[in-house]
Amino acid sequence: MTADYKVLAVIPTYNEVDLLRRCVNSILCQEVPGLGVVVVNAGAPLPSDLASHVIERQVPDNCFWTACISEGVNVAKSLKSDYCLFTNADTEFIPGSITKLTDSVENTTKTIACSPAYAKFGDRTTELLYSDQTDLGLLLYGKLVKRWERPAEAPIEPFLIELTGGQGVLIPMDLFAQAEMDVENFPHYASDHDLWLQARKLGYKLLLVPQSGIINYREFNDKKQGSGSLLKSLFKRMTSEYAPESWRIMWRLRRKHQGPIIGFATTFVSFGLRWTLGLPKIIRRS
């Protein structure tokens, strides 16, 4: 694939071929002119039948989500794409979603089109994972919001939101002339949150397109563990720069966007809330 693309979907992956194939198929079957896919691959080379339909960029196996997305953005820049579409290998686009996303921003400036995120685990029905997120003012919290339950219940008209995740998001490439994926501070989690805050300062708005959507197929880790391993897992989540609940990540985000004084105060409150009111959820995922 050597042509330039109007929309280039970026998919980070690491040895998840079956999931990746479903994701790629859900993108390429959509009738959007100038649509292409770049797979940023930190694992084994893709099988030939899949590699022939995408642009594959091999990266070292120590590249996590942010570095992979950053590499995909660089590919989109080199191909002079108009838009970059973020998603993950364990997701599938609902038919017509990418058309709805592109239509919603076609005649706008500084607008990022966002999909609601659904989940389908095992034999369960497709349910809303989140429609959007809210930052709870100064806390910059990124609290998940569920405004409906099923795809059929989604509103018709797009509306503005505060925050979203990093899945099914259509971004004008102009943003990356002034903003970037912060690999150093946020190697795996919170880099999408950081990007939306950068975009907000530059005058961009997030537009939720309810009639679009991506479906997640990989469930959060909920395996049972003994008390010793649970405590070890909780300590890692509290301190590692690769965990979303880590004080390091929460501090870096707030220091960057609020400065050291306000950032320290909001980190203290946000970290306390996460590890008290949010502790049952953290334990379920540990």
Side-chain angles (χ1 to χ4, degrees), residues 43-118:
L46 300 180
S48 58
D49 66 305
L50 182 55
S52 64
H53 291 90
V54 302
I55 303 168
E56 183 179 7
R57 281 291 184 271
Q58 201 77 37
V59 294
D61 61 6
N62 62 351
C63 285
F64 290 84
W65 191 85
T66 310
C68 289
I69 288 288
S70 182
E71 177 63 21
V73 169
N74 289 336
V75 174
K77 287 179 179 179
S78 70
L79 295 175
K80 299 180 174 59
S81 300
D82 294 326
Y83 298 96
C84 195
L85 179 66
F86 287 6
T87 194
N88 292 328
D90 59 353
T91 63
E92 177 182 35
F93 280 87
I94 294 174
S97 292
I98 302 177
T99 298
K100 292 180 174 66
L101 291 171
T102 54
D103 286 349
S104 70
V105 298
E106 193 67 41
N107 297 311
T108 67
T109 58
K110 293 194 171 185
T111 302
I112 298 166
C114 310
S115 300
Y118 296 92

Side-chain angles (χ1 to χ4, degrees), residues 11 17 23 32 38 44 74 78 103 110 152 156 220 239 246 255:
I11 311 174
V17 171
C23 180
V32 177
V38 56
N74 289 336
S78 70
D103 286 349
K110 293 194 171 185
I156 301 297
F220 288 116
T239 59
S246 165
R255 177 187 61 191

Side-chain angles (χ1 to χ4, degrees), residues 214-226:
I214 54 97
I215 302 173
N216 288 260
Y217 286 94
R218 180 157 48 203
E219 196 162 5
F220 288 116
N221 180 13
D222 62 352
K223 65 182 180 180
K224 306 299 182 186
Q225 305 182 61

Side-chain angles (χ1 to χ4, degrees), residues 48 60 153 170 174 180 190 192 197 236 243 261 269:
S48 58
E153 301 168 0
L170 185 74
D174 288 348
E180 62 181 3
D192 51 355
L197 294 178
K236 183 176 180 179
I261 298 176
V269 175

Side-chain angles (χ1 to χ4, degrees), residues 106-282:
E106 193 67 41
N107 297 311
T108 67
T109 58
K110 293 194 171 185
T111 302
I112 298 166
C114 310
S115 300
Y118 296 92
K120 181 174 175 56
F121 303 140
D123 295 330
R124 283 180 267 176
T125 59
T126 301
E127 299 180 357
L128 188 67
L129 191 59
Y130 62 83
S131 55
D132 58 294
Q133 300 179 25
T134 178
D135 61 14
L136 300 183
L138 281 175
L139 293 184
L140 302 183
Y141 200 69
K143 178 178 173 57
L144 299 182
V145 179
K146 296 178 65 172
R147 299 179 188 272
W148 60 88
E149 291 294 331
R150 306 280 190 271
E153 301 168 0
I156 301 297
E157 294 299 323
F159 56 91
L160 297 178
I161 58 175
E162 293 178 349
L163 295 170
T164 189
Q167 312 172 67
V169 186
L170 185 74
I171 307 169
M173 287 301 299
D174 288 348
L175 173 63
F176 297 105
Q178 298 174 278
E180 62 181 3
M181 305 302 298
D182 191 342
V183 179
E184 181 177 356
N185 280 313
F186 312 107
H188 194 52
Y189 286 103
S191 58
D192 51 355
H193 195 149
D194 170 59
L195 183 64
W196 311 142
L197 294 178
Q198 291 183 65
R200 182 187 298 178
K201 291 176 181 178
L202 294 168
Y204 284 78
K205 55 190 177 182
L206 300 181
L207 183 71
L208 182 67
V209 183
Q211 290 294 306
S212 66
I214 54 97
I215 302 173
N216 288 260
Y217 286 94
R218 180 157 48 203
E219 196 162 5
F220 288 116
N221 180 13
D222 62 352
K223 65 182 180 180
K224 306 299 182 186
Q225 305 182 61
S227 59
S229 60
L230 175 60
L231 290 175
K232 184 177 180 180
S233 175
L234 291 178
F235 180 77
K236 183 176 180 179
R237 283 181 174 272
M238 188 179 287
T239 59
S240 171
E241 65 176 3
Y242 298 101
E245 304 89 3
S246 165
W247 72 265
R248 298 176 189 273
I249 294 302
M250 299 179 79
W251 161 241
R252 289 173 186 176
L253 182 71
R254 288 156 182 82
R255 177 187 61 191
K256 179 175 179 177
H257 292 281
Q258 297 178 324
I261 298 176
I262 295 176
F264 177 83
T266 57
T267 299
F268 181 83
V269 175
S270 297
F271 184 78
L273 290 173
R274 182 71 63 90
W275 284 92
T276 53
L277 298 179
L279 184 58
K281 182 181 291 186
I282 294 173

